[in-house]
Amino acid sequence: MELNEGKEGKSQTLKNESNSETWIIGKEFRFEASHQLPNHDGKCARLHGHSWRGIIYVSGNKLVNSGAKQGMIMDYGDIKKYLKPLLDNYLDHYHLNETTGLANPTSEAIAKWIYEQLEDKIPGLVAVRIDETCTSQCIYSKGESNFLIL
């Protein structure tokens, strides 16, 4: 990467010498589910539920150049297709302690669980975000550098 300087010596732009491009898309999903955090030292140790929100992030540096998906890195419908069985069979209107096999289904554990279920199905999967409430979120990714883009 090369730093281009302006007249006064202040950095103006960063030029990527490889001229690579990257696109990141996100597909939002929602589900209603209960969980219980048995080791928690507060009210979350009790059975309770949330209106969960999540986002699947997919990254790519090449767009499909022909056909029905031309100009896309991946069709949002394909992400939905892979996500739907998880929602239908494990997440939406379920008790997450039972269906995910997680003894302590924190937002962190749920984000990682979803990522692991999808990583072999969705090429370019970068991260999974889980919002437990409207003010509390978690993003899981394999690799620290992925967080720079989210």
Side-chain angles (χ1 to χ4, degrees):
M1 199 163 297
E2 178 184 340
L3 179 64
N4 296 327
E5 293 187 9
K7 291 180 182 177
E8 298 173 8
K10 296 180 182 176
S11 66
Q12 298 293 316
T13 60
L14 287 175
K15 181 181 176 187
N16 189 334
E17 292 175 358
S18 67
N19 288 330
S20 65
E21 297 178 302
T22 301
W23 289 267
I24 302 162
I25 61 172
K27 177 66 177 163
E28 183 176 313
F29 61 97
R30 296 176 183 269
F31 62 98
E32 306 292 328
S34 65
H35 72 152
Q36 187 172 6
L37 306 180
N39 302 318
H40 195 267
D41 61 355
K43 61 185 178 180
C44 291
R46 297 191 300 265
L47 176 63
H48 64 285
H50 297 284
S51 295
W52 303 81
R53 174 185 174 261
I55 303 174
I56 304 298
Y57 291 103
V58 178
S59 174
N61 58 10
K62 292 182 182 177
L63 301 178
V64 176
N65 57 15
S66 63
K69 299 177 185 190
Q70 183 176 353
M72 302 177 185
I73 60 169
M74 181 174 207
D75 190 320
Y76 294 112
D78 290 340
I79 298 171
K80 184 178 179 180
K81 175 179 71 176
Y82 294 120
L83 186 58
K84 186 173 179 3
L86 296 181
L87 293 169
D88 291 347
N89 300 317
Y90 300 95
L91 300 173
D92 193 30
H93 286 81
Y94 284 101
H95 182 56
L96 301 178
N97 297 64
E98 295 172 358
T99 58
T100 62
L102 300 168
N104 192 40
T106 61
S107 293
E108 294 87 343
I110 295 164
K112 182 178 180 182
W113 184 87
I114 293 170
Y115 186 101
E116 289 174 344
Q117 304 306 307
L118 298 174
E119 68 182 322
D120 292 335
K121 296 174 177 70
I122 299 178
L125 179 64
V126 175
V128 172
R129 175 178 167 164
I130 289 295
D131 296 6
E132 184 171 315
T133 68
C134 59
T135 61
S136 303
Q137 307 87 28
C138 171
I139 299 175
Y140 175 81
S141 179
K142 287 189 176 177
E144 278 186 55
S145 63
N146 293 332
F147 288 109
L148 297 175
I149 56 176
L150 300 176

